[in-house]
Amino acid sequence: MLAAATACRLRQSTARAKSGRAGCLSHLPRLTLNGPQTRRSRCTLVGVDTWVKSALLQHSRPELAAPDGFTPTMEEPPRPLPLDIMAKLRFLALWFFSGAAFLCLLAFLQHQFLALPITGRGLLFPMIFGALSGLLIGSWELRLKRYSLQLAEGEKRFRTLYQNTPVMLHSIDPQGRLINVSNFWLQTLGYRREEVLGRRLTEFMSEKSRRYAEETVFPEFFRAGYLKDIPYQMVKKSGEVIHVLLSAIAEFDAEGKITRSLAVLIDITERKQAEKEIQKLAYYDTLTGLPNRTLFQDRLSQALAQARREERKVGVLFLDLDRFKAINDTLGHVAGDMLLKYVARRLQGCVRQSDTVARLGGDEFVVILPGIHTEADLTAFAKKILEALSRPVRLGEKKFFTTASIGISVFPDDASDVDILIRNADIAMYAAKDRGKNTYQFFSTEMNAKVVEKLGLENRLRLALKREELILAYQPQMDLKNDRISGLEVLLRWQHPEAGLIPPGSFIRVAEETGLIIPIGEWVLHTACTQAKLWQDAGFPSLRVGVNISSRQFDQPDFIDMVDRVLQQTGFDPRNLELELTESIVMENVPETIMTLTDLKVRGIHLAIDDFGTGYSSLSYLKHFPFDRLKIAQEFVRDISIDPEDAAIVEAITGMAKSLGLEVIAEGVERQDQLDFLRDRQCNDMQGHFFARPMSAADFTIMLKKEQIRDHGGRLH
């Protein structure tokens, strides 16, 4: 019975050793060993043991080491650790003799106290049974030692792997206190081991992550025992914050309570930074750092949704810089980019924290103003912005002044849709530009009607170009000194099948804004040169043909090529061609303008400034331009005989032109007093209704024929 009890105790000890060993390492992955000289099997033993055994075999008995070709795989039962044979025999012999001696002693005591007889044969059975029991107990003891050694070595190996693995690992107790951390965990966060063990894990998190862990994550983890990819912000000892993903699994006791856990942290700081950069590229303007169109529309949608709930208004300000193209072309794109950055900073300084300033592209900016009560609030913001932008900006060594035109639309008064609200603000902005720029305009339904009308006009104009509804009119230019026609100006007209003759003032601006002026302008030049060549071939005197050039045409990179192509196709002599440009075109980009004008001049083409006196009238620049003639604007000629200021301007223009060696021609001469005034100031070239209205090519041909007859038979009176 004593032997049986001893054997039972040993079995229980062995079982407890096994269960304890499996319990403390049950959170690790299971491994097996597969190789050409081993059989495959599966068990639940911890993989660390396999690596420990392999290392011990190689250092203690090389002949028993794992053969070549072994690779670690999943779930292979451990092989027993080798023990010294002599020690094993000595151990078993000790138990053998101890068992025999114990039962012999028991037989002797029975004889002494119970008076049982002792014989040689009577002692033989106890000795044999005791020896066998001793051997059995010794075998169990050896097995227990072997498993205890495996457990100790496995735990040592686990601790080594745990501490030295290049991953952030930590274990916490049910109170959330750290009971173990890996060296890489300490290295990443910059702490020493004694500084962290025993402290709560949340002490090493940011405030936001600490609240999230304590209120949400930890209760769920201690209930379920499992977490995966939970984002946290960990704080280094230096104060630097890093982003991590935490995954953890818990170990439970027999009662189902968590005893400890193992967690893995993956540093995703670089990935977060990359995501932030990608988001910045996707939602922010790279030049100014302001929200781009995509983010602006999203924020406007949110602002409108909130305004609907709170029954409040939202203002949208659409802003476009005035004459930005001139600055960009004159100083270069680097200076233009600097100006845009200045504008972005000044706009941000004009708004509240809850407002949004965005750049849509080019020189267009928009501002979202939520929580607006009245139009007076929007007016105040608009004035504040205009005042901020009016301050000079230093670009390089020079100071520049810039202005802006602002269009304003209001939710829900003007629109309840994001796109329509932006469109209406854009419409109001163009209305502000029409009013002279550097101002603001609120959207109105009348503006929308004008836009709709403008869109319809654009569509009809495109069809007119295809249907050849555009025609040219020719107005003669008179040389009073020689009493003859010296040239003509080509004027564009639109012969609409329903509306009749449409003057250019009704559609030229639309053509310029939409780019239709490019094909229309080439058609005008080609048609005018073709008609003039026909008159020359018919024997009429060579006349100077004046053709107006728009700024959109003149800015085209292939403008010179287009002129050359037309002259080559029509065979028209470039010395009889005069291109008329306004002062605003000339002054937009002076260096480029001078180069283009020089290219035209070397071809023999005449150059004229149209409507001189209504634009910049910069005499310092005028002397550098290769112009041949100045055209006095009609607005100065209209009241020339009764308005002293107009008379003074005309006298100044004629005197300046004479000193610079330029010709002068006056436009819009309609009365005799105007003609007399101009003739007295030695301005002998004129055009206007006093001499002839613009006419068709056929009527102009008749006029040329009459002049031929007169030259042969009389004088023009």
Side-chain angles (χ1 to χ4, degrees):
M1 292 178 61
L2 180 61
T6 304
C8 180
R9 180 182 62 83
L10 289 175
R11 283 195 300 271
Q12 292 174 352
S13 299
T14 302
R16 285 195 300 270
K18 289 182 179 179
S19 63
R21 175 184 179 280
C24 69
L25 300 177
S26 60
H27 52 280
L28 292 177
R30 301 170 182 172
L31 299 176
T32 64
L33 293 178
N34 282 342
Q37 301 179 16
T38 62
R39 63 182 180 85
R40 294 183 176 272
S41 63
R42 303 179 66 85
C43 74
T44 61
L45 230 57
V46 179
V48 172
D49 301 340
T50 304
W51 294 103
V52 173
K53 290 188 295 183
S54 178
L56 291 175
L57 285 171
Q58 291 176 2
H59 287 285
S60 61
R61 298 186 61 185
E63 67 276 8
L64 297 178
D68 295 337
F70 260 72
T71 56
T73 59
M74 297 298 293
E75 298 189 359
E76 174 74 18
R79 296 189 299 170
L81 291 172
L83 298 176
D84 185 82
I85 299 299
M86 294 303 298
K88 182 177 180 181
L89 292 177
R90 286 195 300 270
F91 186 79
L92 291 177
L94 176 62
W95 275 100
F96 179 86
F97 290 112
S98 297
F102 176 76
L103 289 185
C104 288
L105 177 61
L106 181 62
F108 177 76
L109 292 175
Q110 289 176 344
H111 171 71
Q112 285 291 108
F113 296 102
L114 300 178
L116 295 177
I118 298 177
T119 63
R121 294 184 61 182
L123 288 176
L124 181 61
F125 177 75
M127 290 178 63
I128 295 175
F129 183 77
L132 293 177
S133 299
L135 287 175
L136 180 61
I137 295 172
S139 298
W140 279 102
E141 186 71 17
L142 283 175
R143 188 174 182 183
L144 178 61
K145 285 186 176 182
R146 183 167 61 249
Y147 277 111
S148 298
L149 179 60
Q150 289 176 346
L151 176 61
E153 292 295 337
E155 290 180 344
K156 181 180 179 182
R157 180 62 176 169
F158 165 72
R159 286 193 298 270
T160 302
L161 291 175
Y162 186 99
Q163 299 296 338
N164 298 321
T165 183
V167 178
M168 296 177 67
L169 300 176
H170 69 242
S171 299
I172 61 173
D173 61 14
Q175 287 72 43
R177 295 187 296 264
L178 290 166
I179 58 178
N180 204 354
V181 294
S182 65
N183 293 334
F184 191 77
W185 194 99
L186 297 171
Q187 177 184 347
T188 301
L189 297 182
Y191 289 97
R192 297 191 305 273
R193 191 174 302 277
E194 58 270 19
E195 292 178 316
V196 300
L197 295 184
R199 294 173 60 182
R200 294 180 63 84
L201 174 63
T202 53
E203 296 181 33
F204 303 96
M205 296 180 181
S206 67
E207 183 62 30
K208 181 179 179 181
S209 295
R210 182 183 299 118
R211 291 196 305 268
Y212 177 53
E214 293 175 346
E215 297 172 4
T216 305
V217 179
F218 276 16
E220 176 65 20
F221 174 67
F222 288 127
R223 183 189 65 80
Y226 176 82
L227 289 177
K228 181 175 176 60
D229 293 340
I230 303 300
Y232 282 132
Q233 289 180 332
M234 304 293 290
V235 182
K236 294 185 177 182
K237 188 175 182 179
S238 62
E240 180 185 352
V241 176
I242 64 172
H243 297 268
V244 299
L245 284 180
L246 183 145
S247 299
I249 190 169
E251 180 181 334
F252 296 86
D253 58 14
E255 298 178 358
K257 297 181 179 179
I258 293 179
T259 58
R260 61 178 177 177
S261 68
L262 175 66
V264 179
L265 286 78
I266 302 175
D267 189 348
I268 59 170
T269 305
E270 292 185 359
R271 191 178 82 184
K272 280 284 186 181
Q273 293 174 346
E275 291 175 353
K276 187 177 180 180
E277 288 298 321
I278 293 174
Q279 184 182 36
K280 185 176 181 181
L281 292 174
Y283 296 107
Y284 290 87
D285 176 51
T286 55
L287 177 64
T288 62
L290 296 176
N292 60 13
R293 182 183 294 272
T294 302
L295 183 55
F296 164 76
Q297 291 181 328
D298 179 69
R299 290 189 178 179
L300 182 56
S301 298
Q302 295 179 17
L304 297 188
Q306 183 177 358
R308 288 188 184 95
R309 293 192 299 269
E310 300 175 357
E311 296 183 353
R312 305 184 73 178
K313 295 184 178 183
V314 177
V316 175
L317 276 62
F318 198 108
L319 181 148
D320 185 89
L321 299 182
D322 300 327
R323 298 187 62 251
F324 173 73
K325 184 179 184 299
I327 296 176
N328 209 30
D329 293 342
T330 304
L331 302 180
H333 293 287
V334 174
D337 290 346
M338 290 177 59
L339 177 60
L340 293 174
K341 292 179 181 178
Y342 276 117
V343 171
R345 287 196 291 269
R346 290 184 179 181
L347 288 176
Q348 288 177 308
C350 294
V351 299
R352 304 162 300 182
Q353 189 70 28
S354 58
D355 302 331
T356 296
V357 179
R359 181 186 176 215
L360 298 187
D363 60 340
E364 293 181 341
F365 297 84
V366 284
V367 181
I368 303 174
L369 300 174
I372 295 299
H373 299 286
T374 64
E375 285 190 0
D377 297 333
L378 293 170
T379 300
F381 272 107
K383 289 181 177 180
K384 185 178 180 180
I385 290 173
L386 292 176
E387 181 182 357
L389 296 182
S390 65
R391 296 196 299 269
V393 175
R394 180 173 292 277
L395 300 177
E397 299 179 354
K398 298 182 180 180
K399 289 184 178 180
F400 290 87
F401 292 86
T402 182
T403 59
S405 300
I406 301 175
I408 306 173
S409 62
V410 183
F411 168 88
D413 300 345
D414 299 324
S416 57
D417 178 79
V418 170
D419 294 332
I420 298 177
L421 200 63
I422 298 173
R423 188 201 67 180
N424 291 346
D426 189 19
I427 292 172
M429 182 270 295
Y430 278 105
K433 285 188 177 293
D434 290 340
R435 291 177 63 90
K437 305 177 180 178
N438 192 27
T439 186
Y440 62 90
Q441 281 290 302
F442 283 88
F443 173 79
S444 65
T445 54
E446 291 78 10
M447 292 179 185
N448 188 55
K450 290 181 179 179
V451 170
V452 173
E453 180 183 356
K454 178 181 174 181
L455 182 60
L457 181 62
E458 176 188 346
N459 294 332
R460 293 194 300 271
L461 187 57
R462 292 182 185 276
L463 293 176
L465 186 60
K466 294 180 180 179
R467 296 173 179 175
E468 299 182 354
E469 296 175 1
L470 300 179
I471 60 175
L472 295 184
Y474 305 88
Q475 186 173 35
Q477 296 172 340
M478 308 305 297
D479 178 5
L480 272 66
K481 185 177 182 179
N482 297 310
D483 198 18
R484 62 185 298 274
I485 300 175
S486 60
L488 59 94
E489 181 178 5
V490 178
L491 302 172
L492 180 63
R493 299 289 186 267
W494 180 3
Q495 187 65 53
H496 194 274
E498 298 176 359
L501 195 63
I502 302 177
S506 302
F507 63 87
I508 286 297
R509 182 172 179 178
V510 174
E512 289 182 346
E513 292 176 356
T514 58
L516 286 173
I517 196 66
I518 305 302
I520 291 176
E522 182 172 355
W523 175 85
V524 169
L525 183 61
H526 192 283
T527 304
C529 291
T530 300
Q531 182 60 56
K533 185 66 168 59
L534 290 175
W535 285 325
Q536 289 180 3
D537 294 343
F540 294 112
S542 297
L543 300 176
R544 184 184 297 182
V545 178
V547 179
N548 291 280
I549 301 298
S550 73
S551 60
R552 191 77 177 264
Q553 281 180 280
F554 192 76
D555 291 339
Q556 294 301 304
D558 61 343
F559 174 69
I560 297 294
D561 295 335
M562 184 273 292
V563 174
D564 288 338
R565 182 171 62 252
V566 169
L567 292 175
Q568 182 180 6
Q569 291 173 353
T570 60
F572 187 64
D573 188 350
R575 293 173 296 180
N576 295 325
L577 177 63
E578 181 178 73
L579 300 182
E580 301 180 7
L581 300 95
T582 62
E583 290 178 89
S584 59
I585 298 175
V586 172
M587 297 301 297
E588 279 186 358
N589 188 347
V590 174
E592 289 292 332
T593 298
I594 292 176
M595 292 180 60
T596 304
L597 294 178
T598 303
D599 286 343
L600 295 171
K601 190 64 179 175
V602 297
R603 288 164 169 77
I605 298 174
H606 292 267
L607 301 171
I609 296 183
D610 195 16
D611 294 333
F612 185 77
T614 60
Y616 296 91
S617 303
S618 175
L619 304 184
S620 61
Y621 281 117
L622 183 60
K623 65 181 181 180
H624 298 296
F625 293 129
F627 284 106
D628 301 289
R629 183 156 64 168
L630 303 181
K631 300 188 72 174
I632 302 175
Q634 183 179 4
E635 61 185 88
F636 299 130
V637 176
R638 183 179 298 110
D639 299 324
I640 195 172
S641 60
I642 59 176
D643 189 333
E645 292 183 356
D646 287 345
I649 291 174
V650 171
E651 287 181 351
I653 292 174
T654 55
M656 179 194 64
K658 184 177 180 180
S659 64
L660 293 175
L662 300 176
E663 300 176 17
V664 179
I665 182 172
E667 297 181 293
V669 178
E670 299 178 350
R671 302 189 309 270
Q672 183 67 45
D673 60 319
Q674 297 170 339
L675 185 149
D676 294 338
F677 182 93
L678 293 168
R679 180 182 285 174
D680 292 342
R681 272 69 179 176
Q682 297 182 350
C683 178
N684 296 312
D685 290 329
M686 306 178 195
Q687 76 179 77
H689 292 176
F690 182 80
F691 306 101
R693 292 179 177 273
M695 61 190 73
S696 65
D699 291 338
F700 198 87
T701 302
I702 295 174
M703 187 175 183
L704 290 175
K705 288 180 179 180
K706 289 181 178 180
E707 186 178 59
Q708 274 186 332
I709 295 172
R710 186 209 62 188
D711 288 342
H712 286 86
R715 304 291 294 174
L716 181 64
H717 57 277

